[in-house]
Amino acid sequence: QVQLVESGGGLVQAGGSLRLSCAASGSIFRVNAMGWYRQAPGKQRELVADITSGGSTNYGDSVKGRFTISRDNAKNTVSLQMNSLKPEDTAVYYCNARKVITAKGLIDDSWGQGTQVTVSS
């Protein structure tokens, strides 16, 4: 079993910045991909950004140029630097880990509990 613990959400004014962090734990040997998704009220969960163990990144169109994802493979952590925040970025942000190799085998998909990000206009 993989545990993902997020931190860093909160309330910020439009144009401001926030940094989200997520730490994975649970007898982990390797995490192939980590990322962030978000879900706003009444909307489907959507990809914000993800990053492979090799450092390849992928961003949702709405956050390109404003958000930056990074990870520390040795610590099994992933961070999301969010700049120039807009009210439409308001959502619950979820940390995700895919293809995690653990002492008990391969875990395909793990999710954190989510952290609220609210951007006021």
Side-chain angles (χ1 to χ4, degrees), residues 59-61 63-68 83-84:
Y59 292 92
D61 288 340
V63 307
K64 287 179 181 176
R66 299 187 298 123
F67 292 8
T68 302
N83 298 329
S84 302

Side-chain angles (χ1 to χ4, degrees), residues 6-113:
E6 301 122 333
S7 61
L11 172 65
V12 65
Q13 288 188 333
S17 298
L18 281 175
R19 185 176 181 86
L20 304 182
S21 296
C22 172
S25 61
S27 300
I28 294 171
F29 295 142
R30 178 178 174 174
V31 182
N32 281 285
M34 300 187 77
W36 293 91
Y37 288 71
R38 67 186 182 187
Q39 188 166 19
K43 295 187 177 181
Q44 289 187 331
R45 190 172 295 189
E46 63 175 0
L47 172 71
V48 178
D50 61 19
I51 183 168
T52 67
S53 58
S56 295
T57 58
N58 182 38
Y59 292 92
D61 288 340
S62 62
V63 307
K64 287 179 181 176
R66 299 187 298 123
F67 292 8
T68 302
I69 191 170
S70 60
R71 66 184 283 179
D72 184 327
N73 289 334
K75 297 180 179 179
N76 293 322
T77 59
V78 63
S79 296
L80 184 70
Q81 179 66 41
M82 304 185 294
N83 298 329
S84 302
L85 283 161
K86 304 175 181 180
E88 50 263 44
D89 294 318
T90 296
V92 177
Y93 284 69
Y94 296 91
C95 180
N96 171 256
R98 297 196 303 277
K99 303 296 184 186
V100 182
I101 302 171
T102 73
K104 294 186 177 181
L106 178 67
I107 308 296
D108 280 330
D109 215 10
S110 298
W111 294 92
Q113 292 294 317

